[in-house]
Amino acid sequence: MSLFDLKLQDIHNRLTNKELSVSDLVDASLARIQAVDDKVGAFLRVDEEGARAAARRLDDKLASGEERGLLFGLPAGIKDNIVTEGLITTCASKLLANYVPIYDATVMKKLKAAESVTIGKLNMDEFAMGGSNENSAFQLTRNPWNTEHVPGGSSGGSAAAVAAGEVYFALGSDTGGSIRQPAAYCGVVGLKPTYGLVSRYGLVAFASSLDQIGPLTKNVEDAAYVLQSIAGYDRFDSTSANVDIPDYVSALTGDVKGLKIGVPKEYMGEGIDPAVKEAVLNALKTFESLGATWEEISMPHTEYAIAAYYIIASSEASSNLARFDGIRYGVRSPNAGNLLEVFEKSRSEGFGPEVKRRIMLGTYALSSGYYDAYYLKAQKVRTLVKQDFDRAFEQYDVIIGPTAPTPAFRIGSKIHDPLTMYLNDICTIPVNLAGVPAISVPCGQADGLPIGLQIIGKAFDESTVLRVAHAFEQSTEYHKLRPSL
Amino acid sequence: MSISIQDVEHVAKLARLELRQEEKETFTGQLNAILKYMDKLNELDTSNVQPTSHVLPLVNVMREDEPHESLPIEKVMLNAPDEEDGQFRVPAVIE
């Protein structure tokens, strides 16, 4: 058994009773990385020295008996697009291969306050663009359940590290499904909070109106603890929501009696693997047995969400990534003569193919003569997608469906066809366009690969999303399954 | 709408990307396939729909104009590819 199979409360008690130290927890994390990360490839960088130093500090504090943070001593992995002061942050891009952040993202400050221990930085698709981690400039991450398959993405390193027991929890970011889809593929819990609940300050921007940081954990209760630690208003993020943060852990009552569930037929139709559909229908039976009811509903604009998303996200990306010019940070091309060449060569040599493709798509969509046809049109369709959710939430407490249409696909099977890769995001993208919260929890397996159930809630109603996910988890055994590595 | 290799060259210039010939050809094909898929949006009548730029009901987020500490120059320069006297050094702009 791994230390990380202990529940957070058990770890807390053992620390209190001096049966365990923070150094033990950090040693367990580092030993597990040593043992399995050659196979998994989740970590871009392990900060052994920093983690051990933090562990010693926390152990000293433990001895003093002072009040401890909510995540005291827990080893954490951080997606490599979240800036960590003094610890190289690359976004899995050659362009940022040498970038040492001079400040901490707000979520890192909050994790420090909650007293978790940062073990290292996790692989991802370059600049969070992709759903397989195959777009990392540095290495492949493999699915711990079957290393011939992708871990999903873009937070693939975060999901794989948690699934492989290398860290207690991880942070990821989700722009179109990048927390939930890898969580589903790796059999862990992944929560995308409401847009604005968690500060984006220090998250290297991909698509600013969609990006949101969230936790990847082994169970729903841990997701509630991590969310509790990172949520809240931040003056450094101009789209941070100034809302009261409830007690998420106390919302986990196990009670879903009378809960009304809507199941969009568009999430269960063509292109959904029969095994995934069956797992979702079984989950709905579980909810019935717990006293909830469900009905099929229609979210008619779902089929337009992918097109709208890829225009909006790529347009925002083309603007956000203009900052990478080889002047202030990042790698400057040694082959540049004049200033224009500094821009063009640094960018062309630094960005990988998927990032270039999206910059091209976004620049085209925003360029003179095409703005109305593409960008404005997509923003209007975004309104229609959001209205689908508004209408559904007038009648239903949550919306449930699959997280991804299939279990994790084989490495190399989709990378040469970008459009097919984009279409794989059908179940997660509408949620980002509407800005509402959603969680993926394990709900089955097919051929040894996990399947994820997606539970979507009203804006800022993470308490309900977590309560429903927790009730399901507690009536099933899927979250207890571990890959053999 | 369909885009040509000349369009790809024009957009690459706007985006400050220098593409190799084979990249231009690949992107022309891939972007055409993607944009053809995007045409799906024209099935929807959006003449009376307001655009959504982001989902929060936030308008003109203001704050008091209070001075706060800024990052020290030495720290900011730590990541500069080329630097001189606390300034970013670049090739001559005017030759």
Side-chain angles (χ1 to χ4, degrees):
Chain A
M1 192 192 72
S2 153
L3 272 179
F4 303 151
D5 285 330
L6 293 173
K7 296 193 70 176
L8 186 141
Q9 202 57 49
D10 296 327
I11 290 180
H12 181 85
N13 293 340
R14 288 186 190 213
L15 288 169
T16 306
N17 300 336
K18 311 276 190 286
E19 293 162 34
L20 191 67
S21 69
V22 177
S23 294
D24 293 337
L25 289 166
V26 168
D27 285 346
S29 173
L30 294 170
R32 183 69 178 160
I33 292 166
Q34 182 75 32
V36 302
D37 209 53
D38 275 356
K39 279 186 251 175
V40 178
F43 275 87
L44 287 172
R45 199 153 292 94
V46 177
D47 182 22
E48 185 172 337
E49 201 182 317
R52 287 196 195 281
R56 281 192 297 274
R57 272 198 307 280
L58 293 177
D59 278 330
D60 288 345
K61 182 169 175 181
L62 191 60
S64 77
E66 278 174 74
E67 200 185 332
R68 290 178 248 154
L70 204 53
L71 306 174
F72 187 88
L74 299 177
I78 309 297
K79 187 178 183 180
D80 209 29
N81 61 350
I82 295 171
V83 302
T84 42
E85 187 174 359
L87 186 57
I88 288 186
T89 298
T90 67
C91 295
S93 179
K94 280 195 277 182
L95 200 139
L96 288 178
N98 60 2
Y99 177 62
V100 184
I102 55 174
Y103 66 101
D104 265 332
T106 296
V107 290
M108 294 313 299
K109 289 206 181 100
K110 284 179 174 279
L111 286 189
K112 278 181 186 165
E115 299 182 310
S116 65
V117 179
T118 299
I119 298 293
K121 303 301 291 286
L122 295 163
N123 199 24
M124 54 186 282
D125 287 293
E126 184 179 3
F127 286 107
M129 298 176 188
S132 68
N133 267 41
E134 293 166 289
N135 295 329
S136 166
F138 302 118
Q139 69 195 38
L140 270 180
T141 297
R142 295 170 180 278
N143 193 309
W145 291 89
N146 181 337
T147 52
E148 296 301 309
H149 288 246
V150 301
S154 64
S155 310
S158 303
V162 173
E166 294 175 291
V167 288
Y168 189 83
F169 74 93
L171 292 186
S173 67
D174 190 316
T175 305
S178 279
I179 289 174
R180 291 159 286 155
Q181 182 255 31
Y185 281 8
C186 291
V188 299
V189 174
L191 172 68
K192 184 205 87 77
T194 307
Y195 180 80
L197 184 69
V198 177
S199 170
R200 293 183 296 110
Y201 181 69
L203 172 68
V204 178
F206 160 16
S208 307
S209 79
L210 302 161
D211 298 341
Q212 188 63 196
I213 295 171
L216 293 103
T217 56
K218 280 189 306 298
N219 60 59
V220 175
E221 189 181 74
D222 290 347
Y225 277 110
V226 178
L227 182 65
Q228 196 77 55
S229 307
I230 62 174
Y233 175 74
D234 179 18
R235 73 180 176 89
F236 289 115
D237 174 358
S238 63
T239 58
S240 177
N242 207 339
V243 292
D244 290 333
I245 305 301
D247 184 337
Y248 296 116
V249 179
S250 71
L252 308 179
T253 59
D255 182 10
V256 291
K257 221 166 264 132
L259 183 86
K260 288 197 231 162
I261 301 169
V263 179
K265 63 174 196 242
E266 292 80 5
Y267 291 17
M268 296 288 272
E270 207 186 329
I272 306 296
D273 186 295
V276 171
K277 199 169 167 177
E278 195 192 326
V280 173
L281 290 171
N282 283 337
L284 292 168
K285 281 188 201 136
T286 301
F287 280 116
E288 282 176 355
S289 73
L290 295 171
T293 56
W294 68 275
E295 283 178 308
E296 187 179 271
I297 60 169
S298 177
M299 309 266 282
H301 298 96
T302 303
E303 63 169 308
Y304 302 98
I306 291 178
Y309 169 87
Y310 276 95
I311 291 170
I312 291 167
S314 301
S315 297
E316 293 184 17
S318 77
S319 169
N320 273 325
L321 271 61
R323 75 192 59 179
F324 300 109
D325 54 9
I327 304 292
R328 291 153 300 159
Y329 37 69
V331 177
R332 182 184 295 184
S333 170
N335 307 315
N338 59 39
L339 187 63
L340 187 62
E341 282 182 4
V342 169
F343 301 149
E344 290 187 341
K345 290 190 189 296
S346 301
R347 290 165 64 77
S348 303
E349 292 163 19
F351 291 139
E354 182 62 28
V355 174
K356 286 183 191 170
R357 190 156 37 241
R358 297 213 198 178
I359 290 175
M360 292 290 291
L361 179 61
T363 305
Y364 179 77
L366 292 175
S367 66
S368 176
Y370 299 104
Y371 177 87
D372 285 1
Y374 288 109
Y375 188 65
L376 191 62
K377 182 80 185 181
Q379 286 192 316
K380 288 180 173 181
V381 174
R382 182 175 186 178
T383 304
L384 297 174
V385 172
K386 185 174 181 298
Q387 286 171 353
D388 281 354
F389 282 93
D390 293 344
R391 264 192 296 273
F393 284 129
E394 283 171 14
Q395 290 188 55
Y396 301 95
D397 301 308
V398 290
I399 295 166
I400 287 183
T403 305
T406 66
F409 48 90
R410 292 184 82 83
I411 292 169
S413 64
K414 291 192 184 184
I415 192 70
H416 301 295
D417 186 356
L419 187 56
T420 305
M421 193 78 103
Y422 297 173
L423 298 179
N424 195 44
D425 301 340
I426 180 73
C427 304
T428 47
I429 273 178
V431 173
N432 297 80
L433 291 175
V436 294
I439 197 167
S440 180
V441 288
C443 72
Q445 294 213 338
D447 298 326
L449 288 164
I451 296 170
L453 183 75
Q454 183 173 215
I455 301 163
I456 308 166
K458 297 170 190 168
F460 300 109
D461 194 11
E462 276 76 4
S463 294
T464 298
V465 171
L466 289 162
R467 173 169 59 89
V468 173
H470 178 255
F472 174 75
E473 178 189 82
Q474 295 305 306
S475 335
T476 56
E477 299 288 316
Y478 306 114
H479 66 292
K480 292 181 184 162
L481 300 172
R482 298 280 177 268
S484 52
L485 272 163
Chain B
M1 268 177 272
S2 143
I3 64 170
S4 64
I5 200 156
Q6 286 76 30
D7 294 326
V8 166
E9 284 169 351
H10 172 66
V11 173
K13 199 169 169 185
L14 293 176
R16 297 288 184 265
L17 288 172
E18 185 182 78
L19 301 181
R20 296 186 310 274
Q21 187 59 29
E22 65 267 28
E23 280 182 307
K24 288 180 196 167
E25 284 162 16
T26 310
F27 281 160
T28 305
Q30 288 175 340
L31 291 174
N32 268 318
I34 293 166
L35 289 169
K36 186 160 167 266
Y37 178 77
M38 304 303 185
D39 283 341
K40 193 177 176 55
L41 296 181
N42 295 322
E43 293 168 12
L44 293 171
D45 178 7
T46 52
S47 45
N48 294 314
V49 179
Q50 290 295 314
T52 296
S53 56
H54 74 97
V55 290
L56 294 175
L58 290 171
V59 187
N60 296 345
V61 177
M62 307 294 262
R63 60 165 173 79
E64 292 306 311
D65 186 19
E66 291 161 350
H68 289 277
E69 213 174 307
S70 299
L71 291 166
I73 298 282
E74 318 77 75
K75 269 186 114 176
V76 172
M77 286 298 150
L78 285 175
N79 280 292
D82 197 2
E83 181 242 339
E84 192 176 306
D85 300 334
Q87 297 169 73
F88 298 106
R89 195 179 144 102
V90 296
V93 179
I94 301 161
E95 291 176 9

